[in-house]
Amino acid sequence: MIDTDHYERLERVRSVETTERGLLAEIEDERLRVDVVRDDVVRIAISRGGAFDDPPTHALCVDPLAEPVAFDVERDDGVARLRTAALVVSIGVDPFRLDVHRADGSPVVETATDGEGRPWAYARLNDAFTLRRRCRPEDAFYGLGEKTGGHNRRGRDFTLWNLDVLDPNDTAAFTAGLPREDPRADPTSIEFDPYYVSIPFVYHHAQPSGAVAASFVDNGYRATYELSHAEEYRVHFAGGHYVEYVFAGPRMPDVLAAYTWLTGRPPVPPLWALGYHQSRWFRYTQDAVEVLARRHRELAVPCDAMWLDIEYMDGYRVFTWDADAFPDPRGMLDRLAEQGFRVVTIIDPGVKHEHGYPIFDDALERDVLCRTESGEVYIGEVWPGATAFPDFVEEEARTWWGDLNADHARSGVAGIWNDMNEPATGRIPTSAMRFGRGRFSHERFHNQYALLMAMATREGLLRALPERRPFILTRAGSAGIQRYAAHWMGDNQSRWDHLWLSMPMAMGIGLSGQPFVGADIGGFQGHSNAELFLRWMQYGALTPFCRNHSEIGNVDQYAWSWGDAVLDLVREALELRYRLLPYLYTAFVSAHETGAPVQRPLVFHDQDDPIARDVDDEYLLGPDLLVAPVTAAGATGRQVYLPAGEWFDWHTGERTEGRRYVLAQTPMDRIPIYARAGAVIPMWPSAPPSTDGHHPQSIELHLFVPGADGTHHGSLQEDDGLTFGALDGARYRTTFEITRDAGRVTVRAAVGGDGYPEFARETFELVLHGAAPQAVLVDGAETPVRDGRVAFANTGTGFTAEFET
């Protein structure tokens, strides 16, 4: 906790006037601005030295005030009120307080008071400021980016400062003074904080109403969120301006849609990026990489990408190859491509400080490196030794870096892996690193460094290959990172508790606007084992990003490393992922259009269920699949909570009513998976070796027949999976409406889009679960059901299927 009791509170409003977008108030020697962004979103800002910082970060991608919004202003009894159709902002004049309520009077944000009843709306000390808001002990909080512990953040305090978690030089400041038995003293524990990604976006889930509000503070400085107090929560920023977006909700999906409208939604990834990725920090040679790739094909393990960690470089110099280990990189990349493999290489921001190294010499000449206060080039110490860092705050530096990535991509590399971008500087502190050619302190842009690096990388890749969807993976990030890169959860441990941790961590990141996320399967640090690896693979195959990665010196953890018994089950897990790619890909399309996570906490769909808010050992994959991984050794069964509705056991077909716990069996060949009744789950009939060139002639539509009357919806997007053509209509988007009415089930499918050259589908095969009719009417023609399946011709047109249960 940070002691802020001595901070100076702004307590008296001298005047309030109406502006074109809201209110402008004089508060002592500063100004308060309230701007209406949408009916359900307002922006609140307080000046520093009478001036506003606009924009304070690179988080936003839209003009939040571009569209007019109707509002009214009222004044009475020492309060000025701004009212829209969805919310009311109240400014108390003397003493100053600021509250936001919904139109029905329910609270969104309410200023907390001290023991004497004085409000704590805003207080400052030097460059820092703090806010205190009311809450109830039973309320829940979510978000804040990448955090340890449960996905409900209630009861804990968090720091937002991007950190290299396994570097003792970085973590020392956060472990100092803690007793050894405190798990926060151990950076490898499942409670250590902070982590690699900092996003000051938090949901407040009020109880008992179930209403959700949210706050995004557009500020990149180090921050603390204290969520451990019983009846208030506190927000503290060490610098910068107070600029906050308040979201009235009250439904969680609407809040996330509004937040991602502001900060951006992820582009639809290339389809191959959703396949299985094989990675390892290891001293590979060119021949060894090709042998590894062939081994996947020989053993029929589906795989789309080979990854190269830092050892492929010449002395860890970025944008180079070790000529001894990789004498013919282009030839290797071409041969792997012929087998359906893409290659992704790591690129750290650190540039070896070495005269004669062309990248460093060019950076010096262009003046695109970070400098110190004295004007010297800042030097850190990472893999190459003495290391300089690009000044990504400068557009010229971003363009230069993007061009380097463009040249790298033209050589045949398919994706870029951004690591060490917190930024990590080893034993040399980051504090002397300044930005904007020395104009800005390190603290201002530390948390934004990875965002700006990813921005530069993506823009460079698009310049090199404008028709191809780029793929970038990042370790660190801040608000808006989803526009540029996918995210992996950093250097995890080969332990069961880290397998569990990756679920709430991924769900928290997803609720923070980043849906493309995953953990290193099997664990990065430490030796994995057969059971842990298998269980992690069964789980990881059902996450948005699926990569096996481990540290140098570990035991092998390839798909085949523990013999045929494990290999066969790993293959089954990956084959299921590949068969589910039509469903998974469509979930990513939804994320692009709405911001909805791909890996979702149960509360996202069922926020009125008090149990759902705290469930963090299971999740929804897309809207209609529930996954409950095994998180302990030797487990042969586990409790699973099923939320509202009906659910089908994926393995047995048993139908179960929701809002109850069930005991699911967990033999080594599977983990519990459930499908929502009423869902249509599109699947490929079989798993290909990779997605490369895969355009199947048939797609299965698995219909989980609802037992109760009602209407359900689903969708399927088919496109080339590589280019941006789908954005211009080169796709088929099939939307499904599933209706049950008095025992009659009707599936209506409508299709949009103009198609695309690679489209090869000739048939749909409707696979029925939970019903066994003799025949189905397909567009009025009676079609027999064989083994629960109905096949019918379809080349991208709508259809209607009907049957009696």
Side-chain angles (χ1 to χ4, degrees):
M1 294 183 185
I2 295 177
D3 180 11
T4 58
D5 289 346
H6 58 295
Y7 278 37
E8 176 195 12
R9 286 183 247 186
L10 299 188
E11 296 191 282
R12 185 172 177 271
V13 178
R14 295 190 287 114
S15 66
V16 182
E17 63 182 75
T18 303
T19 68
E20 184 179 349
R21 295 300 304 214
L23 297 173
L24 180 65
E26 302 288 334
I27 310 178
E28 298 184 8
D29 58 345
E30 297 292 0
R31 295 187 293 165
L32 164 72
R33 193 170 67 193
V34 179
D35 297 316
V36 178
V37 177
R38 307 185 344 173
D39 282 343
D40 59 345
V41 182
V42 292
R43 181 177 67 183
I44 304 166
I46 292 179
S47 63
R48 277 292 174 91
F52 293 99
D53 189 9
D54 192 18
T57 74
H58 292 265
L60 269 61
C61 63
V62 298
D63 177 357
L65 306 183
E67 297 298 324
V69 183
F71 67 92
D72 296 312
V73 173
E74 308 166 357
R75 293 179 175 85
D76 66 89
D77 299 327
V79 178
R81 294 186 180 88
L82 180 152
R83 188 183 301 273
T84 74
L87 56 76
V88 180
V89 180
S90 301
I91 299 176
V93 173
D94 190 9
F96 166 56
R97 64 176 295 138
L98 192 146
D99 302 303
V100 182
H101 295 83
R102 299 183 186 87
D104 63 5
S106 59
V108 176
V109 165
E110 291 184 323
T111 295
T113 57
D114 62 17
E116 299 174 354
R118 294 171 57 211
W120 266 97
Y122 176 90
R124 64 190 178 183
L125 180 68
N126 298 325
D127 291 333
F129 66 87
T130 187
L131 320 167
R132 297 186 185 183
R133 270 79 183 272
R134 293 178 57 190
C135 63
R136 295 166 61 98
E138 58 269 33
D139 292 352
F141 294 89
Y142 317 104
L144 296 179
E146 185 178 23
K147 293 298 171 190
T148 55
H151 85 102
N152 179 359
R153 312 303 191 196
R154 190 69 166 114
R156 293 169 290 154
D157 302 332
F158 297 96
T159 299
L160 272 59
W161 184 254
N162 291 355
L163 196 73
D164 183 356
V165 174
L166 292 188
D167 185 345
N169 300 289
D170 267 7
T171 58
F174 298 95
T175 59
L178 295 175
R180 293 182 61 183
E181 62 272 16
D182 188 329
R184 295 172 300 167
D186 177 6
T188 73
S189 80
I190 59 172
E191 295 185 32
F192 177 79
D193 184 71
Y195 246 64
Y196 305 97
V197 178
S198 300
I199 300 177
F201 174 57
V202 65
Y203 299 78
H204 181 188
H205 188 187
Q207 302 299 323
S209 70
V212 169
S215 157
F216 168 56
V217 180
D218 191 7
N219 183 310
Y221 283 79
R222 179 168 166 172
T224 302
Y225 281 72
E226 296 180 10
L227 307 178
S228 60
H229 304 279
E231 296 186 348
E232 68 179 31
Y233 63 97
R234 302 177 184 181
V235 180
H236 180 273
F237 279 80
H241 285 225
Y242 165 53
V243 180
E244 180 182 24
Y245 292 84
V246 175
F247 304 82
R251 308 310 296 176
M252 186 177 285
D254 296 334
V255 168
L256 184 53
Y259 169 74
T260 54
W261 166 73
L262 281 172
T263 63
R265 293 171 184 153
V268 179
L271 182 60
W272 66 264
L274 305 188
Y276 172 58
H277 302 252
Q278 170 59 48
S279 180
R280 187 182 186 183
W281 178 12
F282 191 76
R283 292 187 180 90
Y284 288 112
T285 63
Q286 177 176 305
D287 290 344
V289 172
E290 296 191 55
V291 168
L292 182 62
R294 284 197 300 273
R295 185 77 166 143
H296 281 81
R297 294 291 181 256
E298 292 166 356
L299 295 176
V301 176
C303 186
D304 265 82
M306 295 282 114
W307 289 56
L308 297 177
D309 210 320
I310 55 175
E311 303 298 334
Y312 81 93
M313 292 183 274
D314 176 14
Y316 307 125
R317 298 170 181 87
V318 290
F319 303 109
T320 68
W321 292 83
D322 181 337
D324 292 330
F326 295 89
D328 181 20
R330 185 57 194 250
M332 176 192 72
L333 297 173
D334 289 344
R335 289 187 292 275
L336 290 172
E338 291 172 0
Q339 301 173 61
F341 287 100
R342 266 82 176 182
V343 174
V344 180
T345 61
I346 197 168
I347 298 289
D348 293 343
V351 175
K352 184 175 178 63
H353 187 280
E354 180 184 59
H355 295 286
Y357 168 35
I359 303 296
F360 177 73
D361 291 343
D362 191 39
L364 273 184
E365 182 178 346
R366 294 172 181 265
D367 189 17
V368 293
L369 297 173
C370 292
R371 295 189 175 269
T372 65
E373 187 175 13
S374 67
E376 298 294 322
V377 172
Y378 170 85
I379 303 299
E381 187 177 84
V382 284
W383 300 116
T387 308
F389 292 81
D391 186 353
F392 292 125
V393 171
E394 292 294 308
E395 185 176 357
E396 183 181 350
R398 296 198 299 272
T399 300
W400 170 76
W401 189 259
D403 288 342
L404 292 172
N405 280 276
D407 290 342
H408 199 54
R410 289 189 189 100
S411 73
V413 170
I416 301 295
W417 173 13
N418 287 348
D419 195 8
M420 308 292 286
N421 53 348
E422 291 71 36
T425 58
R427 63 178 177 175
I428 300 174
T430 58
S431 53
M433 179 194 292
R434 295 180 66 85
F435 299 106
R437 295 194 166 101
R439 299 191 311 276
F440 304 117
S441 71
H442 181 79
E443 290 77 12
R444 175 164 184 162
F445 287 102
H446 174 92
N447 282 345
Q448 297 182 69
Y449 192 78
L451 171 74
L452 296 171
M453 181 183 182
M455 179 192 300
T457 303
R458 181 174 174 84
E459 290 171 354
L461 295 180
L462 286 172
R463 287 195 295 273
L465 301 167
E467 301 302 319
R468 296 285 176 173
R469 304 178 202 173
F471 175 72
I472 302 161
L473 186 76
T474 183
R475 184 168 77 176
S478 58
I481 187 65
Q482 67 273 6
R483 302 196 302 267
Y484 305 111
H487 173 71
W488 104 99
M489 290 177 273
D491 297 338
N492 60 358
Q493 301 295 306
S494 296
R495 300 192 324 227
W496 288 99
D497 59 346
H498 272 247
L499 188 161
W500 168 83
L501 175 64
S502 65
M503 279 184 279
M505 187 173 278
M507 291 187 284
I509 294 170
L511 289 181
S512 302
Q514 170 61 290
F516 202 172
V517 61
D520 286 343
I521 292 172
F524 171 76
Q525 187 171 70
H527 299 309
S528 194
N529 59 69
E531 184 179 9
L532 175 62
F533 178 75
L534 172 58
R535 290 306 199 185
W536 211 321
M537 186 66 76
Q538 290 169 332
Y539 154 53
L542 298 173
T543 60
F545 178 60
C546 178
R547 185 182 73 156
N548 175 5
H549 182 56
S550 62
E551 188 177 29
I552 196 167
N554 289 352
V555 299
D556 289 355
Q557 59 180 50
Y558 301 115
W560 50 85
S561 295
W562 285 279
D564 290 346
V566 172
L567 170 62
D568 291 344
L569 298 179
V570 166
R571 184 189 298 112
E572 287 181 16
L574 291 174
E575 286 175 344
L576 176 59
R577 178 183 182 84
Y578 274 74
R579 291 191 62 206
L580 282 169
L581 280 179
Y583 172 79
L584 189 61
Y585 183 75
T586 302
F588 273 91
V589 172
S590 176
H592 169 69
E593 295 175 350
T594 70
V598 175
Q599 186 172 354
R600 311 174 181 184
L602 272 55
V603 71
F604 187 76
H605 286 280
D606 207 358
Q607 69 187 59
D608 299 316
D609 183 347
I611 294 178
R613 71 175 194 169
D614 290 314
V615 173
D616 49 25
D617 64 348
E618 58 187 78
Y619 60 93
L620 293 167
L621 182 64
D624 294 322
L625 290 180
L626 186 151
V627 182
V630 172
T631 60
T636 57
R638 60 154 291 173
Q639 296 282 350
V640 178
Y641 182 73
L642 299 177
E646 299 174 299
W647 295 88
F648 283 81
D649 185 309
W650 184 267
H651 306 291
T652 68
E654 179 183 1
R655 189 202 315 254
T656 304
E657 286 290 334
R659 291 219 168 175
R660 57 174 292 198
Y661 290 97
V662 297
L663 180 60
Q665 300 304 306
T666 60
M668 287 298 290
D669 64 347
R670 65 177 186 263
I671 60 173
I673 306 170
Y674 294 84
R676 191 188 301 273
V680 170
I681 307 294
M683 298 180 68
W684 286 339
S686 60
S690 80
T691 63
D692 187 55
H694 186 67
H695 301 282
Q697 293 182 327
S698 180
I699 285 183
E700 297 175 350
L701 303 176
H702 288 256
L703 172 61
F704 294 86
V705 178
D709 288 357
T711 301
H712 308 264
H713 297 90
S715 62
L716 163 66
Q717 175 145 323
E718 300 166 275
D719 57 46
D720 64 20
L722 290 174
T723 74
F724 295 99
L727 298 177
D728 298 320
R731 65 175 188 264
Y732 283 122
R733 173 82 62 85
T734 306
T735 56
F736 304 103
E737 181 185 82
I738 302 96
T739 303
R740 178 171 182 139
D741 184 10
R744 187 168 187 83
V745 176
T746 304
V747 179
R748 294 183 176 87
V751 178
D754 304 322
Y756 55 100
E758 297 85 356
F759 181 72
R761 178 167 54 77
E762 298 175 353
T763 61
F764 273 139
E765 188 169 25
L766 187 63
V767 184
L768 302 178
H769 303 264
Q774 296 298 307
V776 173
L777 289 176
V778 179
D779 292 331
E782 186 172 282
T783 307
V785 177
R786 295 186 174 89
D787 297 324
R789 296 169 175 262
V790 180
F792 54 94
N794 189 281
T795 56
T797 59
F799 67 87
T800 300
E802 304 171 86
F803 59 89
E804 298 287 340
T805 59

